[in-house]
């Protein structure tokens, strides 16, 4: 017995070490019950601190509060207001505080760590020449005319040209050099004194942008903590808080994960048990159940499998009868049309003596009505009006190409604009946006509605300036039609 105790103690110790190493707590804090406290990501703050229950987060309000880091203790901080003589350069967001600059006619002076905006020099004197205008970072600069040669002040240099991988943000003027910037989707990276524009890191599903990509810095991705999700690949979008619970009358279909939000659906309304059924259930319990009918553990069950089979057979029989009736009607309609066409041809062509002689001499019967049938059918088809082309009749590969074009990140969320133009309500658009493939869900839902024609879709795409998608819709399909 002592030998078994001596063997089990080290095993329990190793098990505890493995559990502690395999399940680290990112926040470094636990609840009173020992549960790891949840981190609120950037853009969200703590509404209820972690103590007896887990942390509860709330989304910071744009232009009101912000949070630039993940924390289990920090609340959303109020946005700063620009002081006197300063104006807003970048408004406050949920992730960054307000960025200010000196107002027009003022420049920034930094002295002993203090920053203040001072009035710019109004103008140069008669004996001076202006070589640098007043900006928000520097005062107006003047030099004496005696230092200029031939009317050109000293210090003038050629305008700079942007490198191959950069683009012009502000063109060169007589008072300011060219200002260059990296294209959208890239940031300026400096290494060993060499500046280059590099592509921004894209956060995968389940990861959010703690620091969005900008001109000066790359994206900083972080895994979404418990209670938050990110279902799109982006260099700008952070982790979003999960829906806490389903609305009344709804049930949970799928719990929230780091890559998808909580998914709810309506409850199935099942009929309640009658008094006779309750009595029958109690008798069944008396025969072999160990739990009391009035206890929470007792759940009466009823085998309805035998009652469902006749229902399925009835439905299947109705479907088969409907198909047979449809085929019979189509055959009858086709025969009736052929008889009418044959009668019309007989009246139009008539019978000539030469034709009868040809038939009697040769001993061969020529079905002249059948020879004329394609011609008559062509006439009928020409008079029929052209039906509008429906989106649902497009080949599957053509629909996939349209969905890929509308889902490209370079165009932003064009599918939301398309949904508005196609008449979808805001609630429906929000519901579609929670899915994994919102473009496919939108077009599939719309194609089932009345009037979902290619003409309506092309008109909406032209209003969105998406001529590339219209061209793809109007291009001829490579798939051959089945006759």
């Amino acid at each position: 017995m002592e030998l078994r105790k001596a063997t089990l103690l080290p095993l329990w110790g190793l098990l505890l070490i493995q559990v502690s190493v395999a399940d680290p707590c990112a926040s470094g804090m636990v609840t009173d019950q020992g549960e790891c406290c949840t981190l609120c990501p950037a853009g969200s703050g703590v509404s209820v601190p972690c103590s007896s229950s887990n942390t509860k987060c709330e989304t910071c309000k744009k232009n009101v509060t912000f949070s630039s880091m993940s924390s289990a203790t920090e609340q959303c901080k109020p946005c700063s207001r620009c002081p006197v003589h300063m104006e807003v350069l970048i408004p406050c967001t949920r992730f960054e505080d307000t960025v200010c600059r000196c107002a027009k006619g003022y420049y920034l002076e930094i002295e002993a760590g203090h920053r203040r905006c001072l009035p710019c020099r109004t103008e140069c004197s008669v004996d001076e020449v202006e070589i640098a205008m007043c900006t928000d970072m520097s005062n107006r600069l003047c030099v004496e005319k005696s230092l200029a040669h031939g009317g050109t002040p000293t210090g003038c240099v050629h305008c700079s040209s942007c490198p191959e991988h950069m683009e012009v943000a502000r063109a060169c003027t007589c008072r300011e050099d060219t200002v260059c910037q990296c294209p959208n989707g890239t940031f300026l990276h400096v290494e060993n004194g060499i500046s280059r524009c590099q592509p921004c890191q894209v956060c995968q599903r389940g990861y959010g942008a703690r620091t969005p990509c900008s001109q000066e810095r790359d994206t900083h991705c972080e895994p979404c903590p418990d209670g938050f999700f990110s279902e799109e690949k982006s260099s700008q979008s952070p982790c979003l808080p999960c829906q806490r619970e389903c609305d009344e009358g709804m049930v949970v279909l799928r719990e929230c994960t780091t890559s998808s939000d909580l998914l709810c659906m309506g409850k199935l309304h099942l009929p309640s048990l009658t008094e006779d059924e309750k009595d029958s259930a109690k008798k069944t319990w008396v025969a072999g159940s160990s739990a009391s009918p009035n206890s929470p553990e007792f759940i009466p069950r009823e085998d309805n499998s035998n009652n469902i089979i006749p229902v399925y057979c009835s439905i299947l029989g109705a479907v088969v009868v409907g198909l047979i009736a449809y085929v019979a009607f189509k055959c009858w309609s086709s025969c009736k049309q052929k008889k009418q066409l044959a009668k019309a041809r007989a009246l139009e062509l008539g019978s000539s003596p030469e034709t009868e002689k040809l038939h009697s001499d040769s001993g061969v019967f020529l079905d002249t009505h059948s020879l004329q049938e394609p011609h008559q059918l062509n006439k009928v088809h020409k008079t029929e009006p052209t039906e509008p082309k429906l989106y649902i009749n497009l080949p599957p590969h053509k629909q996939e190409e349209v969905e890929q074009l509308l889902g490209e990140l370079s165009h932003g969320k064009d599918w939301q604009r398309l949904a508005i133009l196609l008449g979808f309500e805001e609630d429906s658009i929000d519901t579609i946006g929670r899915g994994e493939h919102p473009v496919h869900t939108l077009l599939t839902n719309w194609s089932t509605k009345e009037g979902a024609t290619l003409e309506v879709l092309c008109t909406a795409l032209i209003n969105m300036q998406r001529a590339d998608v219209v061209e793809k819709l109007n291009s001829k399909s490579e798939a051959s039609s089945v006759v």
Side-chain angles (χ1 to χ4, degrees):
M1 189 67 178
E2 295 178 356
L3 180 60
R4 290 181 61 187
K5 290 183 179 180
T7 306
L8 289 174
L9 286 175
L11 291 177
W12 278 108
L14 289 174
L15 181 60
L16 291 175
I17 293 173
Q18 289 179 354
V19 170
S20 61
V21 172
D23 189 21
C25 183
S27 63
M29 302 172 59
V30 294
T31 63
D32 296 344
Q33 291 77 25
E35 181 184 1
C36 180
C37 295
T38 302
L39 285 174
C40 296
S44 301
V46 176
S47 61
V48 178
C50 182
S51 58
S52 59
S53 60
N54 207 336
T55 313
K56 292 186 179 179
C57 306
E58 63 178 357
T59 304
C60 300
K61 298 179 180 179
K62 185 179 180 181
N63 295 328
V64 179
T65 56
F66 76 97
S67 176
S68 59
M69 60 182 294
S70 300
S71 175
T73 57
E74 294 292 332
Q75 300 178 349
C76 291
K77 300 177 181 178
C79 297
S80 301
R81 296 183 177 274
C82 295
V84 64
H85 303 319
M86 300 192 79
E87 61 184 10
V88 176
L89 176 61
I90 302 177
C92 180
T93 66
R94 296 191 300 111
F95 312 97
E96 298 290 342
D97 196 8
T98 311
V99 178
C100 305
R101 68 176 179 185
C102 292
K104 187 176 181 180
Y106 292 83
Y107 71 96
L108 181 65
E109 181 185 70
I110 303 176
E111 184 177 357
H114 297 284
R115 302 159 61 93
R116 59 178 181 172
C117 293
L118 299 178
C120 292
R121 183 175 178 179
T122 55
E123 59 182 11
C124 298
S125 64
V126 179
D127 298 329
E128 294 178 328
V129 176
E130 179 180 337
I131 64 171
M133 63 184 299
C134 176
T135 66
D136 60 326
M137 299 299 295
S138 60
N139 196 5
R140 179 176 283 103
L141 183 61
C142 305
V143 296
E144 296 181 3
K145 291 183 178 179
S146 59
L147 299 177
H149 301 281
T152 304
T154 58
C156 291
V157 295
H158 291 286
C159 294
S160 303
S161 299
C162 292
E164 182 179 357
H165 57 279
M166 303 187 74
E167 60 185 14
V168 176
R170 288 200 305 268
C172 179
T173 65
C174 60
R175 295 182 177 86
E176 186 179 15
D177 195 8
T178 309
V179 178
C180 305
Q181 68 178 11
C182 292
N184 289 335
T186 61
F187 72 100
L188 186 62
H189 177 71
V190 181
E191 186 176 359
N192 298 328
I194 301 176
S195 301
R196 295 184 61 85
C197 293
Q198 294 187 353
C200 297
Q201 180 184 0
V202 177
C203 300
Q204 302 297 316
R205 294 182 58 192
Y207 289 77
R210 176 178 178 180
T211 304
C213 184
S214 63
Q215 287 289 325
E216 297 81 15
R217 56 189 176 184
D218 192 10
T219 314
H220 183 194
C221 301
E222 64 176 359
C224 295
D226 293 339
F228 291 80
F229 74 99
S230 174
E231 58 184 6
E232 62 177 348
K233 299 177 181 179
S234 174
S235 60
Q236 301 290 331
S237 302
C239 294
L240 301 176
C242 295
Q243 182 179 344
R244 290 294 182 184
E245 57 186 12
C246 294
D247 297 334
E248 185 177 357
M250 306 284 285
V251 295
V252 177
L253 185 61
R254 184 184 63 204
E255 294 289 348
C256 178
T257 65
T258 57
S259 58
S260 62
D261 196 6
L262 179 72
L263 185 61
C264 304
M265 67 173 292
K267 288 184 178 179
L268 297 176
H269 298 285
L270 299 176
S272 57
L273 294 177
T274 62
E275 293 297 331
D276 295 339
E277 291 172 336
K278 291 180 179 179
D279 294 339
S280 176
K282 289 181 179 179
K283 292 178 181 178
T284 303
W285 165 78
V286 171
S289 177
S290 59
S292 172
N294 298 324
S295 66
E297 298 178 359
F298 177 74
I299 302 176
R301 297 182 180 180
E302 182 179 359
D303 186 8
N304 294 325
S305 58
N306 295 329
N307 298 331
I308 295 176
I309 293 177
V311 176
Y312 286 156
C313 293
S314 301
I315 295 174
L316 181 60
V319 172
V320 173
V321 172
L323 289 175
I324 294 175
Y326 175 75
V327 172
F329 172 76
K330 294 297 290 185
C331 292
W332 174 81
S333 178
S334 177
C335 292
K336 185 178 179 180
Q337 290 178 358
K338 287 183 179 180
K339 289 180 180 180
Q340 291 176 350
L341 290 174
K343 185 177 180 180
R345 288 195 296 269
L347 294 174
E348 179 181 356
L349 299 177
S351 59
S352 62
E354 290 80 1
T355 306
E356 294 175 358
K357 184 178 180 181
L358 176 62
H359 294 172
S360 60
D361 293 344
S362 61
V364 178
F365 174 74
L366 297 178
D367 188 1
T368 56
H369 301 312
S370 299
L371 294 175
Q372 296 294 332
E373 185 174 356
H375 177 69
Q376 296 293 338
L377 291 176
N378 288 337
K379 289 183 179 180
V380 174
H381 288 306
K382 289 180 179 179
T383 59
E384 292 181 354
T386 304
E387 295 183 357
K389 297 181 179 179
L390 300 178
Y391 176 81
I392 197 172
N393 293 334
L394 277 180
H397 74 275
K398 180 73 67 177
Q399 295 183 12
E400 291 180 1
E401 292 175 355
V402 172
E403 293 171 5
Q404 290 176 359
L405 289 173
L406 290 174
E408 292 178 351
L409 293 178
S410 58
H411 292 283
K413 293 188 177 181
D414 272 1
W415 70 268
Q416 293 181 345
R417 297 169 53 197
L418 178 61
I420 295 173
L421 293 174
L422 293 179
F424 281 80
E425 298 293 338
E426 184 177 354
D427 295 340
S428 299
I429 297 175
D430 292 340
T431 303
I432 293 172
R434 294 177 183 175
E436 297 183 1
H437 305 287
V439 179
H440 174 74
T441 305
L442 168 66
L443 293 177
T444 302
N445 191 352
W446 174 73
S447 64
T448 60
K449 297 184 178 179
E450 184 178 358
T453 63
L454 294 182
E455 182 181 358
V456 175
L457 181 58
C458 290
T459 302
L461 292 171
I462 290 174
N463 290 336
M464 294 167 53
Q465 298 181 356
R466 290 304 303 271
D468 56 330
V469 185
V470 176
E471 182 179 358
K472 179 62 67 176
L473 283 170
N474 293 331
S475 62
K476 293 184 178 180
S477 176
E478 297 178 358
S480 59
S481 61
V482 179
V483 179

